[in-house]
Amino acid sequence: MSFNQTSFKKADIIIQSAALIITGAICFFDMELAMMVFFLGIGGWQLLSMAVHLTQRWNQDSKARKVYQYLLLAIVCIFLISLLSAEMMIWVLYILLYMTPVLALYYLMVCYLEIFRGK
């Protein structure tokens, strides 16, 4: 049985938006907790969402989605290569610290455009 694409995408946008708002609120009280919620919660959800899209073959022609998928593939490859050197890994993790929020917002935008603008 396959998922209903429209229902999943609407739930996806609501979950991502709520997680971003909750993470922003947590920032005022505990920055370390907010970072954990952001990286594990939002990042984990977005990876799950992307996996569902891939397995269900939804929006495979979307250029924005392809860019996101290739960026994630590149990040995984670079991270695996960085395991060879502790110094290189520190730099990669430092860059990811700032790049991840941009990727999260980009993926939210991709999902929004796919459901509300049909692109």
Side-chain angles (χ1 to χ4, degrees):
M1 181 173 147
S2 66
F3 293 104
N4 177 325
Q5 181 179 4
T6 303
S7 298
F8 180 81
K9 285 183 167 293
K10 287 180 180 178
D12 190 8
I13 291 168
I14 291 168
I15 290 169
Q16 288 185 62
S17 299
L20 285 170
I21 291 168
I22 290 168
T23 302
I26 293 172
C27 281
F28 291 110
F29 303 106
D30 188 347
M31 184 59 90
E32 289 178 19
L33 177 61
M35 289 180 72
M36 285 190 338
V37 168
F38 180 81
F39 289 107
L40 297 176
I42 297 172
W45 175 261
Q46 288 185 345
L47 288 175
L48 176 66
S49 170
M50 188 189 72
V52 168
H53 278 83
L54 282 172
T55 59
Q56 295 296 313
R57 301 187 152 285
W58 292 337
N59 300 100
Q60 294 303 304
D61 57 338
S62 167
K63 289 181 183 180
R65 183 167 290 280
K66 285 181 183 178
V67 166
Y68 182 78
Q69 290 170 347
Y70 286 124
L71 278 171
L72 283 184
L73 181 61
I75 288 168
V76 168
C77 290
I78 290 168
F79 178 77
L80 291 174
I81 291 169
S82 78
L83 293 175
L84 298 173
S85 162
E87 185 177 331
M88 188 184 335
M89 181 185 273
I90 289 171
W91 279 104
V92 168
L93 291 174
Y94 185 74
I95 291 167
L96 285 176
L97 183 66
Y98 294 100
M99 189 175 167
T100 304
V102 174
L103 284 173
L105 291 173
Y106 178 76
Y107 187 72
L108 178 62
M109 179 193 70
V110 167
C111 292
Y112 176 84
L113 290 175
E114 286 174 353
I115 191 67
F116 292 110
R117 297 214 175 125
K119 303 206 179 203

